[in-house]
Amino acid sequence: MKKIALLGFGTVGQGVFNILKEKKAELKKRGFDLEVKKILVRNLNKVKDFDPSLFTNDFEDILRDDEIDLAIEMTGDLENSYIYISKLLKAKKDVITSNKSVLSLHFEEFLNLSKENGAKIYFEAAVGGTVPVVREVKALSIFNKIDKIYGILNGTSNYILYNMFENKADYSEVLEKAQELGYAERDPSDDVLGYDMRRKLRILMSIIGGGKITEDEIEVFGLDKITKIDVEYLGENYRVKELALGKFNKNKFVGLVEPALFKKDEDLARLDDANNMVEIYGDYFEKLTLKGKGAGRYPTASAVVCDLIDLLSGNDWEISSGNDLINENKNFKASYYLRTKGDFPKDLIASQEEFKGYKIIRTKEILRSDLIKNIKDEDSFFARIEEND
Ligand SMILES: NC(=O)c1ccc[n+]([C@@H]2O[C@H](COP(=O)([O-])OP(=O)(O)OC[C@H]3O[C@@H](n4cnc5c(N)ncnc54)[C@H](OP(=O)(O)O)[C@@H]3O)[C@@H](O)[C@H]2O)c1
């Protein structure tokens, strides 16, 4: 019997608890005889309806328990989760986490602690929700040269843009709806400004590159400046998606999270609701597309339980590290859609028209840094054009 601990008993924690309870017999039949021995929460009053012997608000109870050698961290608390994960790994206890913030901030340190102490750390749910992108990237990057990863890794941003384009919803109305549905946080900045996706891209790119790529090395532009005018102008033929892009050429990389424009019948353009979708390109496998729910109690809990199964099965592929990687963002070129009231240099413009009091500009293929440098009006919106016909 494997005794495990859960840290956090909220949306994801209760989902994991319920799956392990409901599927106990099936899991046991397949060789996974599991018992949740302790659950860490902050407020014991909130869990009065459950078996009180399971719960503690003292992390040391779990750390000191020699019978527990695996803990699943689902607290979402940035500072304390760092302490919990480090202490668990140092105590040679395996860890699974769904917490992207702590992982992005301390990724290399956790990998080192894991190696030094022979304890594993798994984190699928932190990156793509139920989409098994970490698993694939870890396995594929062992023997493939992955030159591009590309996709939508934040359900809230997709939900907002999907509803703005398909249902002509207003940005603030649809954001409110996303909050009601539990997709977006009360403070939605991390989702709409692209920071959440940047954390996930930083983790994936560091695995692919075999070296450290920090959040700061990924350029980011959110979707919060998009308005109905953009939807009206673009909607007949195009869809806008907040998109993560990681490109590699030997040891050089480009990392971007920004809105991108797709023809409306393309696969990424049609991604609906709060789904996630990732495309990975490499030399042997050519192209892999993964798609699924990016958030929500059971989709996320399902990813956690898959990690648990992988971990207990010994499917442990070491993530390589230590490569020196060179940031090439400053040389990244593309054509952009730009809606602005400000002037823009004529020699960078491929075409321009007036629409509802704005300049709608299609730029030539230009350096992204030149685009950013030349945007004068802070309410401007831009999106990279992902087709060039
Ligand atoms: N929800 C999703 O769809 C989703 C998807 C992917 C990843 N994630 C990630 O999964 C993690 C958990 O998310 P969630 O939505 O389940 O959060 P949540 O519903 O707010 O639940 C958090 C749980 O952790 C407990 N907790 C918070 N701080 C703690 C601390 N310092 N010590 C002990 N317990 C603590 C809370 O206990 P109290 O109630 O007693 O405070 C609560 O039981 C986050 O990192 C989130 O980013 C969530």
Side-chain angles (χ1 to χ4, degrees):
M1 160 104 51
K2 181 94 182 163
K3 299 198 178 183
I4 67 173
L6 307 184
L7 316 184
F9 197 63
T11 305
V12 184
Q14 288 192 40
V16 171
F17 181 79
N18 292 346
I19 293 177
L20 295 179
K21 199 165 115 190
E22 283 161 23
K23 298 295 165 188
K24 193 171 173 58
E26 282 89 339
L27 285 162
K28 189 174 173 186
K29 228 189 282 167
R30 301 293 191 100
F32 306 104
D33 188 6
L34 301 165
E35 182 194 318
V36 175
K37 187 174 179 199
K38 286 203 173 89
I39 303 174
L40 180 73
V41 290
R42 255 183 317 208
N43 182 351
L44 290 168
N45 283 329
K46 282 197 195 166
V47 289
K48 285 199 296 269
D49 296 340
F50 296 87
D51 173 4
S53 69
L54 282 176
F55 291 89
T56 176
N57 54 11
D58 181 2
F59 170 69
E60 297 293 320
D61 278 351
I62 289 167
L63 192 66
R64 282 194 305 257
D65 189 327
D66 291 335
E67 281 192 340
I68 295 175
D69 54 12
L70 192 160
I72 306 179
E73 189 281 314
M74 301 161 286
T75 66
D77 174 330
L78 184 57
E79 275 171 39
N80 285 303
S81 62
Y82 169 69
I83 298 169
Y84 301 157
I85 294 173
S86 329
K87 285 191 172 178
L88 287 161
L89 292 172
K90 284 180 191 160
K92 304 191 187 309
K93 296 185 195 278
D94 296 327
V95 174
I96 294 170
T97 179
S98 60
N99 183 337
K100 48 242 161 168
S101 309
V102 76
L103 197 65
S104 173
L105 212 54
H106 303 286
F107 189 58
E108 287 71 23
E109 188 183 341
F110 289 158
L111 292 187
N112 287 338
L113 281 176
S114 154
K115 247 187 238 172
E116 281 163 23
N117 295 287
K120 294 168 190 163
I121 178 158
Y122 277 61
F123 46 86
E124 188 70 76
V127 180
T130 206
V131 177
V133 59
V134 171
R135 189 180 206 277
E136 291 305 325
V137 158
K138 267 162 81 175
L140 292 170
S141 59
I142 295 171
F143 64 98
N144 279 275
K145 188 160 55 64
I146 296 182
D147 46 24
K148 188 158 107 171
I149 183 157
Y150 189 71
I152 297 161
L153 289 166
N154 179 278
T156 304
S157 64
N158 197 61
Y159 180 82
I160 294 172
L161 291 169
Y162 177 77
N163 279 291
M164 285 184 75
F165 275 85
E166 305 305 332
N167 301 324
K168 307 291 172 260
D170 191 60
Y171 175 81
S172 40
E173 273 168 31
V174 73
L175 175 57
E176 239 170 71
K177 185 87 201 289
Q179 285 168 318
E180 264 170 42
L181 288 169
Y183 295 150
E185 304 285 332
R186 196 159 307 188
D187 174 4
S189 321
D190 282 4
D191 292 327
V192 300
L193 298 178
Y195 300 153
D196 177 76
M197 227 191 286
R198 180 167 66 171
R199 292 183 188 120
K200 296 165 176 175
L201 184 63
R202 167 264 194 276
I203 295 165
L204 292 173
M205 287 186 71
S206 297
I207 299 173
I208 294 168
K212 185 173 182 173
I213 296 175
T214 62
E215 287 177 29
D216 291 349
E217 290 182 284
I218 295 175
E219 303 287 332
V220 66
F221 184 71
L223 59 89
D224 58 317
K225 295 287 191 311
I226 195 166
T227 67
K228 276 192 159 172
I229 296 186
D230 301 298
V231 177
E232 237 177 277
Y233 183 81
L234 295 166
E236 199 177 330
N237 298 311
Y238 295 98
R239 294 294 174 265
V240 172
K241 297 288 181 184
E242 183 77 9
L243 193 79
L245 169 68
K247 282 177 90 169
F248 288 90
N249 182 1
K250 299 197 176 112
N251 65 337
K252 295 182 180 156
F253 72 88
V254 167
L256 297 174
V257 174
E258 65 182 5
L261 211 98
F262 293 90
K263 285 249 178 83
K264 70 175 184 189
D265 51 0
E266 288 183 41
D267 289 349
L268 275 159
R270 289 185 305 159
L271 187 70
D272 62 355
D273 206 43
N275 284 313
N276 281 6
M277 181 165 169
V278 193
E279 293 180 356
I280 313 166
Y281 296 80
D283 47 359
Y284 288 112
F285 66 94
E286 296 183 8
K287 177 180 171 182
L288 173 69
T289 303
L290 301 166
K291 187 170 142 182
K293 293 262 179 212
R297 168 167 289 174
Y298 286 107
T300 311
S302 169
V304 169
V305 176
C306 282
D307 266 356
L308 186 58
I309 288 171
D310 257 359
L311 196 158
L312 297 176
S313 307
N315 289 345
D316 187 23
W317 305 296
E318 193 175 311
I319 294 170
S320 68
S321 58
N323 285 346
D324 276 333
L325 301 169
I326 301 166
N327 190 324
E328 278 288 297
N329 284 345
K330 64 178 187 310
N331 294 324
F332 181 77
K333 279 185 163 184
S335 296
Y336 284 87
Y337 160 89
L338 170 65
R339 177 196 36 81
T340 186
K341 283 197 166 158
D343 289 332
F344 196 73
K346 287 205 167 43
D347 56 325
L348 303 182
I349 296 176
S351 64
Q352 176 176 332
E353 59 183 296
E354 294 295 316
F355 186 71
K356 308 222 159 165
Y358 286 89
K359 292 172 187 154
I360 304 281
I361 292 168
R362 183 181 180 122
T363 74
K364 293 179 182 163
E365 189 172 279
I366 59 172
L367 286 170
R368 187 183 185 279
S369 52
D370 279 342
L371 171 81
I372 303 294
K373 200 167 66 193
N374 286 296
I375 293 178
K376 303 288 183 246
D377 154 27
E378 60 176 33
D379 289 326
S380 305
F381 175 74
F382 70 78
R384 194 171 71 242
I385 300 171
E386 286 297 309
E387 49 82 46
N388 279 309
D389 57 358

